[in-house]
Amino acid sequence: MASLNHEPPATNGVNGHNEHSPLLPTHDNHNHNSHDSHHHNEGESGRSGFHVTHFLFVLWRSSCTVSMLVNVLWPIVPVAIVLNCLPGMPMWKFATAYVAVVPTANLLGFAGQEFARKMPKVAGILIETTFGSIIEIILFAILIAKHETHAPEQNGDEGNLIPIIQAAILGSILTNLLLCLGLCFFFGGLRQASQKFHPIISEVGTGLLLVAAFGLLIPSAFYSALKAETLPEIPGLHVLHEHFTGEKLQGDVLHISQATSIALMVAFALYIWFQASSSHSIFDEVIERDEHRDADRQNDLEKPKFTMTEALLAIAISLVLVTLLLVFLVDQIEHVVEAGVPDQFLGLILLPLVEKAAEHLTAIDEAWDGVINVALYHCIAPSIQTALFNGPLVVVIGWAIGKPMDLNFEIFMISLLVLSILVVGNFLRDGESNWLEGALLVIIYVIIGIACWYYPNPDVAKSNSIGEMVNVTMSVETLQELRSLLNAQLAN
């Protein structure tokens, strides 16, 4: 049964909220009895079971006007499925699957939101944030499953999806921090000259992101510091002591990445525990400060809602469709790269854009309506989850299935991440935003996209690689002379 108890929750404090208040309430409990009887608490549908007509109507209305407009893309979903059952046309298959992910992701986000609003407040917020990252987790899992461990030299040739996965991890964080946050500042600033947000958003968000960036940077820094100290592998050359080769360094980096991933996931678990048990004020301040400023507050109250049965069904349908479309998408990545789209641009820009599209539209709509705290939380929280959980999770999955996924990012990419976090932290420091700051963040994102388009694939340029060092620093004759000298020394 999906109908909920219609008795108002017990209140606590001047705002009339307790831990069992629904997620993102759009009206306070003081006014609860002033509404007509057909008005229900946030998340309540007033019905139970499943009704096809009502289900389709609520699905179409979605969470906001922008999300409703995204629903016009639904006809592309069956087109993408049919195309992927036919031979050939790889670019059309990729394009249709890419676009079709947007409405299905929008449904998953909306259904997750409807489900979360039927839960206690803090649990609902965590559930909603988790649903926003499910698509990313599915994408990363499919990419690592499709990765071929025996790709030649792991140098970006056919079957090697590690560079794309690594770029997608960083791209997801950058898309949230620069593009989504920038658009929230911009559109919110167009409607209000200046929007003030709670300083705890900046303190908690940027602090955790810096910790995550530090963890992600360690394997890359370790590799870069020691790659010049490695000895080349010379066939037929044997030494009496263990020598530090490139293969050993790569193995060490893999082990460091695996241990770091576990540590970051523990940090994420502590973050969730802190949120759920000892820091309710974060959510209370963020939500209760904005609930009375929502320009669409009355409209949200009037909107029909899913029953629990309908919400669960919508989640199941959207999960199946999203997974199917992402499989189609990943299957065509090789053809897209062969057509001239660089690995780094594909991973850093294209994949994060489509997987985050629905979530970004919701955050931008919230900023437009004046609920800037909730909008910022929807920008920063997914970035924290990607850095502390989703990215490390794909390393652990690769570890479990025997595929060597590590956190040895390109130095260029990890530099972009650190600089972006510092820039965003600086903009958040004063607790106030305007359209100019938003425009500047978007411009930074565009510049990064341009640079990634021209960044060579890993088989051409590897800033964190040692495979080419022998050819660069030594000729074949020098290597032969070195081998003779070493053999002579060992013989003595």
Side-chain angles (χ1 to χ4, degrees):
M1 298 291 290
S3 60
L4 301 180
N5 190 346
H6 290 257
E7 295 179 6
T11 59
N12 181 25
V14 295
N15 290 324
H17 290 280
N18 70 351
E19 188 52 29
H20 298 285
S21 300
L23 173 65
L24 302 180
T26 55
H27 64 98
D28 57 54
N29 291 329
H30 294 301
N31 295 329
H32 174 75
N33 295 325
S34 65
H35 295 291
D36 295 335
S37 60
H38 67 280
H39 289 171
H40 304 284
N41 288 337
E42 185 72 17
E44 290 188 15
S45 66
R47 304 176 300 109
S48 62
F50 176 77
H51 306 276
V52 176
T53 304
H54 189 274
F55 175 80
L56 294 176
F57 178 70
V58 175
L59 187 155
W60 170 254
R61 286 289 301 271
S62 194
S63 59
C64 61
T65 303
V66 178
S67 295
M68 183 174 68
L69 294 177
V70 168
N71 286 327
V72 302
L73 299 175
W74 270 103
I76 299 179
V77 175
V79 172
I81 295 174
V82 171
L83 276 181
N84 278 272
C85 295
L86 302 176
M89 301 180 292
M91 296 304 294
W92 279 103
K93 290 179 179 179
F94 180 87
T96 53
Y98 187 87
V99 176
V101 168
V102 178
T104 54
N106 183 61
L107 174 59
L108 179 60
F110 174 59
Q113 183 183 74
E114 288 285 292
F115 176 76
R117 289 183 176 185
K118 303 178 189 301
M119 300 291 109
K121 182 190 293 185
V122 174
I125 295 174
L126 300 178
I127 290 172
E128 186 180 4
T129 304
T130 300
F131 271 107
S133 296
I134 283 180
I135 298 175
E136 183 171 88
I137 294 173
I138 294 173
L139 175 62
F140 290 168
I142 294 172
L143 284 169
I144 193 63
K146 294 283 185 179
H147 169 69
E148 296 179 9
T149 56
H150 300 296
E153 302 293 330
Q154 295 294 302
N155 61 355
D157 291 340
E158 180 180 353
N160 181 23
L161 298 179
I162 296 297
I164 294 177
I165 299 173
Q166 292 175 334
I169 293 172
L170 300 185
S172 177
I173 302 173
L174 294 177
T175 302
N176 278 311
L177 290 182
L178 297 177
L179 181 64
C180 184
L181 190 63
L183 291 176
C184 286
F185 282 176
F186 181 78
F187 285 103
L190 290 180
R191 200 169 188 181
Q192 302 180 36
S194 176
Q195 288 186 309
K196 295 185 178 180
F197 46 88
H198 201 280
I200 203 166
I201 293 283
S202 173
E203 294 170 6
V204 175
T206 56
L208 284 169
L209 285 172
L210 284 173
V211 171
F214 181 83
L216 296 176
L217 174 64
I218 291 301
S220 302
F222 181 88
Y223 196 99
S224 297
L226 296 177
K227 66 181 181 180
E229 306 299 325
T230 58
L231 296 175
E233 293 279 0
I234 304 176
L237 176 62
H238 302 282
V239 294
L240 298 178
H241 59 85
E242 181 182 6
H243 52 287
F244 193 63
T245 64
E247 183 178 354
K248 184 180 186 302
L249 176 57
Q250 290 173 342
D252 291 343
V253 169
L254 178 61
H255 294 150
I256 292 173
S257 299
Q258 292 167 347
T260 300
S261 296
I262 294 174
L264 291 176
M265 294 172 73
V266 170
F268 182 73
L270 295 174
Y271 161 66
I272 295 297
W273 177 260
F274 180 75
Q275 285 185 332
S277 64
S278 60
S279 189
H280 296 168
S281 60
I282 293 178
F283 301 114
D284 293 338
E285 290 286 354
V286 168
I287 294 171
E288 292 178 10
R289 181 169 177 166
D290 279 10
E291 61 180 351
H292 300 292
R293 302 192 309 181
D294 190 348
D296 291 338
R297 174 177 147 192
Q298 188 61 32
N299 291 336
D300 288 339
L301 181 65
E302 298 286 349
K303 281 182 180 180
K305 303 171 181 66
F306 280 146
T307 66
M308 180 65 80
T309 302
E310 291 168 344
L312 292 174
L313 180 62
I315 290 172
I317 293 173
S318 56
L319 277 175
V320 171
L321 290 176
V322 163
T323 303
L324 186 63
L325 291 169
L326 289 177
V327 170
F328 294 157
L329 195 69
V330 173
D331 283 341
Q332 306 305 322
I333 281 181
E334 176 189 338
H335 301 286
V336 173
V337 173
E338 289 177 354
V341 178
D343 280 350
Q344 303 298 338
F345 184 84
L346 181 65
L348 203 73
I349 305 296
L350 291 184
L351 293 182
L353 277 179
V354 69
E355 57 150 308
K356 297 288 186 181
E359 192 174 11
H360 290 175
L361 292 175
T362 301
I364 294 168
D365 181 75
E366 290 166 344
W368 176 258
D369 291 337
V371 285
I372 189 65
N373 285 309
V374 181
L376 295 189
Y377 182 80
H378 283 162
C379 293
I380 296 176
S383 299
I384 294 172
Q385 180 162 342
T386 298
L388 293 180
F389 183 78
N390 297 354
L393 179 62
V394 73
V395 175
V396 175
I397 292 175
W399 187 8
I401 63 178
K403 297 189 176 182
M405 168 69 196
D406 59 35
L407 297 176
N408 183 22
F409 299 98
E410 291 285 319
I411 294 299
F412 173 70
M413 300 299 169
I414 204 72
S415 300
L416 293 179
L417 174 64
V418 174
L419 290 175
S420 297
I421 292 174
L422 293 176
V423 169
V424 170
N426 185 63
F427 280 179
L428 294 177
R429 184 178 304 165
D430 61 355
E432 191 172 352
S433 67
N434 54 62
W435 66 264
L436 176 60
E437 291 179 343
L440 293 176
L441 289 177
V442 174
I443 289 173
I444 293 174
Y445 184 79
V446 172
I447 293 173
I448 290 175
I450 294 172
C452 288
W453 178 263
Y454 289 99
Y455 196 85
N457 287 335
D459 56 335
V460 177
K462 297 179 71 176
S463 60
N464 246 15
S465 166
I466 59 176
E468 77 280 4
M469 289 177 58
V470 171
N471 291 333
V472 172
T473 58
M474 300 182 186
S475 65
V476 175
E477 291 79 8
T478 304
L479 284 174
Q480 291 175 344
E481 292 177 4
L482 176 61
R483 177 180 173 180
S484 300
L485 289 172
L486 289 174
N487 285 333
Q489 290 292 330
L490 291 174
N492 294 332

